[in-house]
Amino acid sequence: MADQEIPALLRVLNGERLDPPPIWIMRQAGRYLPEYRELRTRAKNFLDFCYSPALATEAVMQPLRRFPLDAAILFSDILVVPDALGQKVWFVEGEGPRLEPLIGQETWSFGDSEKAIQRLAPVYEAVERIRAAIPKDIALIGFAGAPWTVATYMLQGRGGDKDDARMEVYRRPEDVDALLDVLVETTAQHLAAQVRAGADCLQIFESWAEGLPPLIFQRVIVGPTRKLFARVRELGVTVPIIGFPRGAGSGIGAYAHETGVNALGVDTQTSAMEVIEAAPEGMALQGNLDPLTLIVGGAALEKAARDVLNDFRFVPHIFNLGHGITPQATPENVERLVKIVKGQV
Ligand code: CP3
């Protein structure tokens, strides 16, 4: 492939520095887009939406029609994995996900990984359709939740603070380790299947890395993530993997050095200087504009975006937010942001 044909996102993931940097937006297909809200009404519930290859493909295409983004991300959810493992999962409008919690159940049992992957066939069909629908110079990102983050939802049955999940690590350490092992194996197979279907790179969402004592951080995040990546490689996957350990704080260095991750998603609260210092030299860094600036817009957005560009100018950088875009953000502000990053204003 000639250089120009390799998607900019992949060039940066391979360690190149590009000016302007490639840009995509976490949750770029979502409720801030009126056409997404319309599309969403066509499925009975959110999981059905995720399991419809046609609807998922359309959701991915929507932001690409509006903005010249450098990547598309599979439309799915991190909670399809517990669903496929046989745990009851549903979404309450305006509140978020609910699961039948493991906490309080005497024994924790799950379906096997191979069956789970069979149930996830519509997701891989969506990946194939999306890859066929988007131009070659746009990278397609596959994704999954990291074992600990998915485990917190499985344990507690909902989001909110993660105290109950953390207490379970002290109360039932062996059971939690066994749960994390099931998630490592199933998630590895889920990621490998996405790559076989056409994903160009992968992102792992560790949304709940915050608040853990260092030893627990090692036990539930660094250890299982290292196992996950090793297993993904064993399954023949060679594409780059972006890890996004949101809220890792002082654990970011251990995460960057010890898991085998290829690139680092940087959250809103972390300074560029901190992460550049903590990560191995030359590692691609992705982030970290405050998503709230896409609600506020105007001069505040302009300044915040230019600050991010400036802070990461000496490293391989992928422009993104420090967390997912909110439903209150406006498409006009996103359009403006992309122009700022691309140097068109
Ligand atoms: O980024 C994308 O455009 C791809 C799609 C994507 C979704 N969820 C679609 C979605 C991705 C990458 C995710 C990841 C995800 N899901 C995470 C990790 C990222 C993060 O935000 O920390 C987590 C923790 C989940 C679990 C989950 N799914 C929650 C907490 C919610 C409710 C969020 C809310 O704001 O209400 C969901 C639902 C969900 N997943 C929506 C979308 C577009 C909104 C539901 C809807 O459209 O009805």
Side-chain angles (χ1 to χ4, degrees):
M1 243 191 293
D3 256 14
Q4 310 85 280
E5 287 171 30
I6 301 173
L9 186 95
L10 296 182
R11 290 171 59 189
V12 172
L13 287 175
N14 287 325
E16 219 178 310
R17 219 158 35 78
L18 294 182
D19 182 15
I23 174 172
W24 68 281
I25 288 168
M26 283 192 277
R27 293 271 176 99
Q28 64 193 26
R31 288 165 293 177
Y32 74 103
L33 293 176
E35 61 269 35
Y36 172 85
R37 296 195 297 270
E38 194 283 316
L39 186 69
R40 174 74 181 72
T41 64
R42 294 196 217 166
K44 186 162 90 270
N45 60 58
F46 183 67
L47 275 180
D48 282 357
F49 189 0
C50 290
Y51 291 141
S52 159
L55 294 181
T57 303
E58 175 55 21
V60 170
M61 298 311 289
Q62 289 179 338
L64 300 183
R65 288 189 196 112
R66 280 183 182 256
F67 320 114
L69 297 160
D70 294 286
I73 183 163
L74 163 67
F75 191 88
S76 181
D77 198 84
I78 65 169
L79 299 177
V80 298
V81 166
D83 179 62
L85 283 168
Q87 193 171 4
K88 205 169 162 225
V89 179
W90 68 104
F91 287 81
V92 181
E93 215 61 58
E95 288 187 41
R98 293 285 183 278
L99 300 83
E100 201 107 68
L102 294 176
I103 292 176
Q105 294 180 32
E106 208 162 306
T107 50
W108 299 346
S109 55
F110 316 99
D112 67 74
S113 296
E114 227 159 282
K115 283 221 183 71
I117 298 310
Q118 285 166 16
R119 290 185 59 168
L120 293 172
V123 176
Y124 315 130
E125 192 189 328
V127 173
E128 280 176 24
R129 287 199 195 198
I130 297 161
R131 187 59 279 180
I134 65 179
K136 280 201 172 48
D137 62 346
I138 293 185
L140 176 55
I141 304 167
F143 77 91
W148 169 246
T149 288
V150 175
T152 63
Y153 284 96
M154 295 176 76
L155 289 164
Q156 302 194 158
R158 58 195 300 158
D161 78 53
K162 297 298 178 282
D163 290 2
D164 289 332
R166 196 155 98 232
M167 280 193 278
E168 215 65 358
V169 179
Y170 298 110
R171 287 190 173 124
R172 297 175 69 169
E174 285 83 19
D175 289 337
V176 171
D177 285 346
L179 169 60
L180 291 170
D181 279 342
V182 169
L183 287 171
V184 164
E185 180 59 26
T186 311
T187 305
Q189 298 208 23
H190 183 44
L191 292 168
Q194 292 177 47
V195 173
R196 283 196 300 273
D200 300 304
C201 58
L202 297 168
Q203 175 153 323
I204 306 304
F205 287 89
E206 187 73 275
S207 302
W208 295 107
E210 68 199 66
L212 302 172
L215 284 177
I216 304 293
F217 185 87
Q218 282 290 332
R219 180 174 186 138
V220 301
I221 294 195
V222 175
T225 303
R226 182 171 52 225
K227 271 197 209 168
L228 171 63
F229 294 165
R231 182 71 180 125
V232 167
R233 296 304 181 208
E234 204 174 80
L235 292 170
V237 171
T238 57
V239 304
I241 305 175
I242 308 165
F244 179 47
R246 189 170 71 84
S250 63
I252 193 90
Y255 185 93
H257 284 272
E258 296 170 30
T259 60
V261 77
N262 303 107
L264 213 49
V266 185
D267 61 23
T268 308
Q269 74 184 59
T270 303
S271 77
M273 221 163 57
E274 240 177 302
V275 70
I276 291 167
E277 183 85 359
E281 176 139 18
M283 180 176 271
L285 302 177
Q286 173 177 284
N288 72 341
L289 181 74
D290 185 348
L292 300 187
T293 61
L294 289 172
I295 305 175
V296 176
L301 169 62
E302 186 101 18
K303 176 176 185 326
R306 294 198 193 284
D307 283 347
V308 170
L309 285 169
N310 195 44
D311 289 348
F312 289 97
R313 71 191 182 283
F314 296 125
V315 297
H317 180 220
I318 298 159
F319 198 101
N320 206 316
L321 310 183
H323 193 199
I325 190 168
T326 63
Q328 298 79 24
T330 68
E332 293 71 30
N333 285 339
V334 174
E335 192 177 337
R336 180 82 191 166
L337 170 66
V338 176
K339 286 207 169 106
I340 295 167
V341 172
K342 302 255 172 209
Q344 292 162 352
V345 284

